[in-house]
PDB file of all heavy atoms in Angstrom:
ATOM      1  N   PRO A  17      47.091  88.557 -99.338  1.00 97.00           N
ATOM      2  CA  PRO A  17      47.639  89.844 -98.920  1.00 97.00           C
ATOM      3  C   PRO A  17      47.180  90.228 -97.520  1.00 97.00           C
ATOM      4  O   PRO A  17      46.106  89.842 -97.072  1.00 97.00           O
ATOM      5  CB  PRO A  17      47.074  90.807 -99.953  1.00 97.00           C
ATOM      6  CG  PRO A  17      45.823  90.186-100.416  1.00 97.00           C
ATOM      7  CD  PRO A  17      46.073  88.704-100.396  1.00 97.00           C
ATOM      8  N   VAL A  29      51.885 108.516 -86.765  1.00 97.00           N
ATOM      9  CA  VAL A  29      52.700 107.309 -86.717  1.00 97.00           C
ATOM     10  C   VAL A  29      52.259 106.311 -87.787  1.00 97.00           C
ATOM     11  O   VAL A  29      53.072 105.789 -88.559  1.00 97.00           O
ATOM     12  CB  VAL A  29      52.650 106.669 -85.306  1.00 97.00           C
ATOM     13  CG1 VAL A  29      53.355 105.309 -85.304  1.00 97.00           C
ATOM     14  CG2 VAL A  29      53.270 107.598 -84.276  1.00 97.00           C
ATOM     15  N   LEU A  45      49.091 101.231-107.529  1.00 98.00           N
ATOM     16  CA  LEU A  45      47.861 101.831-107.002  1.00 98.00           C
ATOM     17  C   LEU A  45      46.696 100.986-107.492  1.00 98.00           C
ATOM     18  O   LEU A  45      46.459 100.885-108.694  1.00 98.00           O
ATOM     19  CB  LEU A  45      47.734 103.275-107.513  1.00 98.00           C
ATOM     20  CG  LEU A  45      46.447 104.024-107.174  1.00 98.00           C
ATOM     21  CD1 LEU A  45      46.264 104.153-105.674  1.00 98.00           C
ATOM     22  CD2 LEU A  45      46.453 105.401-107.828  1.00 98.00           C
ATOM     23  N   VAL A  46      45.968 100.345-106.576  1.00 97.00           N
ATOM     24  CA  VAL A  46      44.910  99.420-107.011  1.00 97.00           C
ATOM     25  C   VAL A  46      43.495  99.953-106.830  1.00 97.00           C
ATOM     26  O   VAL A  46      42.576  99.553-107.536  1.00 97.00           O
ATOM     27  CB  VAL A  46      45.017  98.042-106.317  1.00 97.00           C
ATOM     28  CG1 VAL A  46      46.297  97.348-106.727  1.00 97.00           C
ATOM     29  CG2 VAL A  46      44.930  98.168-104.796  1.00 97.00           C
ATOM     30  N   TYR A  50      36.406 107.259-102.432  1.00 97.00           N
ATOM     31  CA  TYR A  50      35.910 108.618-102.214  1.00 97.00           C
ATOM     32  C   TYR A  50      34.652 108.560-101.355  1.00 97.00           C
ATOM     33  O   TYR A  50      33.970 107.539-101.321  1.00 97.00           O
ATOM     34  CB  TYR A  50      35.572 109.283-103.548  1.00 97.00           C
ATOM     35  CG  TYR A  50      36.733 109.305-104.498  1.00 97.00           C
ATOM     36  CD1 TYR A  50      36.774 108.469-105.609  1.00 97.00           C
ATOM     37  CD2 TYR A  50      37.809 110.157-104.248  1.00 97.00           C
ATOM     38  CE1 TYR A  50      37.852 108.479-106.466  1.00 97.00           C
ATOM     39  CE2 TYR A  50      38.896 110.169-105.113  1.00 97.00           C
ATOM     40  CZ  TYR A  50      38.912 109.331-106.219  1.00 97.00           C
ATOM     41  OH  TYR A  50      39.992 109.349-107.040  1.00 97.00           O
ATOM     42  N   VAL A  70      41.008 108.123 -99.944  1.00 98.00           N
ATOM     43  CA  VAL A  70      42.087 107.255 -99.477  1.00 98.00           C
ATOM     44  C   VAL A  70      42.442 106.278-100.590  1.00 98.00           C
ATOM     45  O   VAL A  70      41.644 106.025-101.486  1.00 98.00           O
ATOM     46  CB  VAL A  70      41.698 106.506 -98.182  1.00 98.00           C
ATOM     47  CG1 VAL A  70      41.525 107.485 -97.029  1.00 98.00           C
ATOM     48  CG2 VAL A  70      40.448 105.655 -98.371  1.00 98.00           C
ATOM     49  N   ASP A  79      58.616  88.851 -99.871  1.00 91.00           N
ATOM     50  CA  ASP A  79      58.050  87.838 -98.969  1.00 91.00           C
ATOM     51  C   ASP A  79      56.521  87.966 -99.015  1.00 91.00           C
ATOM     52  O   ASP A  79      55.906  87.564 -99.975  1.00 91.00           O
ATOM     53  CB  ASP A  79      58.599  88.021 -97.550  1.00 91.00           C
ATOM     54  CG  ASP A  79      60.126  87.979 -97.555  1.00 91.00           C
ATOM     55  OD1 ASP A  79      60.688  86.946 -97.937  1.00 91.00           O
ATOM     56  OD2 ASP A  79      60.731  89.022 -97.225  1.00 91.00           O
ATOM     57  N   GLY A  87      46.279 107.809 -96.840  1.00 96.00           N
ATOM     58  CA  GLY A  87      45.581 108.989 -97.347  1.00 96.00           C
ATOM     59  C   GLY A  87      45.794 110.162 -96.407  1.00 96.00           C
ATOM     60  O   GLY A  87      46.463 110.028 -95.383  1.00 96.00           O
ATOM     61  N   SER A  93      32.734 112.734 -89.884  1.00 94.00           N
ATOM     62  CA  SER A  93      31.568 112.480 -89.045  1.00 94.00           C
ATOM     63  C   SER A  93      31.638 111.073 -88.487  1.00 94.00           C
ATOM     64  O   SER A  93      32.314 110.204 -89.034  1.00 94.00           O
ATOM     65  CB  SER A  93      30.287 112.622 -89.872  1.00 94.00           C
ATOM     66  OG  SER A  93      30.241 111.596 -90.851  1.00 94.00           O
ATOM     67  N   PHE A 111      40.107  91.609-102.454  1.00 96.00           N
ATOM     68  CA  PHE A 111      41.503  91.264-102.751  1.00 96.00           C
ATOM     69  C   PHE A 111      41.966  90.044-101.954  1.00 96.00           C
ATOM     70  O   PHE A 111      43.147  89.715-101.953  1.00 96.00           O
ATOM     71  CB  PHE A 111      42.428  92.449-102.493  1.00 96.00           C
ATOM     72  CG  PHE A 111      42.423  93.453-103.607  1.00 96.00           C
ATOM     73  CD1 PHE A 111      41.550  94.529-103.606  1.00 96.00           C
ATOM     74  CD2 PHE A 111      43.286  93.303-104.702  1.00 96.00           C
ATOM     75  CE1 PHE A 111      41.530  95.440-104.655  1.00 96.00           C
ATOM     76  CE2 PHE A 111      43.277  94.216-105.744  1.00 96.00           C
ATOM     77  CZ  PHE A 111      42.391  95.286-105.730  1.00 96.00           C
ATOM     78  N   ALA A 118      46.098  97.593 -88.296  1.00 98.00           N
ATOM     79  CA  ALA A 118      45.918  99.037 -88.247  1.00 98.00           C
ATOM     80  C   ALA A 118      47.104  99.613 -87.496  1.00 98.00           C
ATOM     81  O   ALA A 118      47.424  99.161 -86.400  1.00 98.00           O
ATOM     82  CB  ALA A 118      44.618  99.367 -87.529  1.00 98.00           C
ATOM     83  N   GLY A 125      52.213 111.757 -73.660  1.00 88.00           N
ATOM     84  CA  GLY A 125      52.188 113.069 -73.023  1.00 88.00           C
ATOM     85  C   GLY A 125      53.573 113.620 -72.701  1.00 88.00           C
ATOM     86  O   GLY A 125      53.698 114.743 -72.218  1.00 88.00           O
ATOM     87  N   PHE A 152      50.663  93.686 -74.537  1.00 92.00           N
ATOM     88  CA  PHE A 152      49.229  93.877 -74.319  1.00 92.00           C
ATOM     89  C   PHE A 152      49.085  94.395 -72.902  1.00 92.00           C
ATOM     90  O   PHE A 152      49.359  93.673 -71.947  1.00 92.00           O
ATOM     91  CB  PHE A 152      48.465  92.563 -74.496  1.00 92.00           C
ATOM     92  CG  PHE A 152      48.431  92.095 -75.912  1.00 92.00           C
ATOM     93  CD1 PHE A 152      49.307  91.119 -76.372  1.00 92.00           C
ATOM     94  CD2 PHE A 152      47.527  92.660 -76.817  1.00 92.00           C
ATOM     95  CE1 PHE A 152      49.276  90.699 -77.693  1.00 92.00           C
ATOM     96  CE2 PHE A 152      47.493  92.237 -78.136  1.00 92.00           C
ATOM     97  CZ  PHE A 152      48.380  91.261 -78.581  1.00 92.00           C
ATOM     98  N   ALA A 158      43.877 103.804 -72.876  1.00 87.00           N
ATOM     99  CA  ALA A 158      42.835 104.089 -71.887  1.00 87.00           C
ATOM    100  C   ALA A 158      41.493 104.435 -72.540  1.00 87.00           C
ATOM    101  O   ALA A 158      40.441 103.964 -72.126  1.00 87.00           O
ATOM    102  CB  ALA A 158      43.293 105.211 -70.977  1.00 87.00           C
ATOM    103  N   LEU A 168      38.256  99.180 -87.767  1.00 98.00           N
ATOM    104  CA  LEU A 168      38.754  97.986 -88.471  1.00 98.00           C
ATOM    105  C   LEU A 168      38.689  96.797 -87.537  1.00 98.00           C
ATOM    106  O   LEU A 168      38.279  95.697 -87.938  1.00 98.00           O
ATOM    107  CB  LEU A 168      40.178  98.207 -88.977  1.00 98.00           C
ATOM    108  CG  LEU A 168      40.306  98.954 -90.302  1.00 98.00           C
ATOM    109  CD1 LEU A 168      41.773  99.175 -90.645  1.00 98.00           C
ATOM    110  CD2 LEU A 168      39.612  98.198 -91.446  1.00 98.00           C
ATOM    111  N   GLU A 225      66.181 116.601 -83.990  1.00 87.00           N
ATOM    112  CA  GLU A 225      66.677 117.971 -83.798  1.00 87.00           C
ATOM    113  C   GLU A 225      65.611 118.830 -83.118  1.00 87.00           C
ATOM    114  O   GLU A 225      65.893 119.592 -82.191  1.00 87.00           O
ATOM    115  CB  GLU A 225      67.047 118.598 -85.159  1.00 87.00           C
ATOM    116  CG  GLU A 225      68.379 118.148 -85.712  1.00 87.00           C
ATOM    117  CD  GLU A 225      69.520 118.439 -84.736  1.00 87.00           C
ATOM    118  OE1 GLU A 225      69.707 119.623 -84.401  1.00 87.00           O
ATOM    119  OE2 GLU A 225      70.197 117.471 -84.312  1.00 87.00           O
ATOM    120  N   ALA A 236      66.106 124.734 -69.890  1.00 79.00           N
ATOM    121  CA  ALA A 236      66.335 126.171 -69.691  1.00 79.00           C
ATOM    122  C   ALA A 236      65.293 126.750 -68.742  1.00 79.00           C
ATOM    123  O   ALA A 236      65.578 127.593 -67.894  1.00 79.00           O
ATOM    124  CB  ALA A 236      66.286 126.895 -71.038  1.00 79.00           C
ATOM    125  N   GLN A 237      64.062 126.259 -68.877  1.00 71.00           N
ATOM    126  CA  GLN A 237      62.997 126.774 -68.011  1.00 71.00           C
ATOM    127  C   GLN A 237      63.175 126.335 -66.570  1.00 71.00           C
ATOM    128  O   GLN A 237      62.765 127.023 -65.647  1.00 71.00           O
ATOM    129  CB  GLN A 237      61.627 126.302 -68.523  1.00 71.00           C
ATOM    130  CG  GLN A 237      61.161 127.093 -69.750  1.00 71.00           C
ATOM    131  CD  GLN A 237      59.839 126.588 -70.270  1.00 71.00           C
ATOM    132  OE1 GLN A 237      59.519 125.420 -70.117  1.00 71.00           O
ATOM    133  NE2 GLN A 237      59.068 127.474 -70.871  1.00 71.00           N
TER     134      GLN A 237
END
Side-chain angles (χ1 to χ4, degrees):
Chain A
V29 173
L45 175 61
V46 295
Y50 304 107
V70 294
D79 304 298
S93 66
F111 280 91
F152 290 99
L168 277 177
E225 281 303 301
Q237 283 178 331

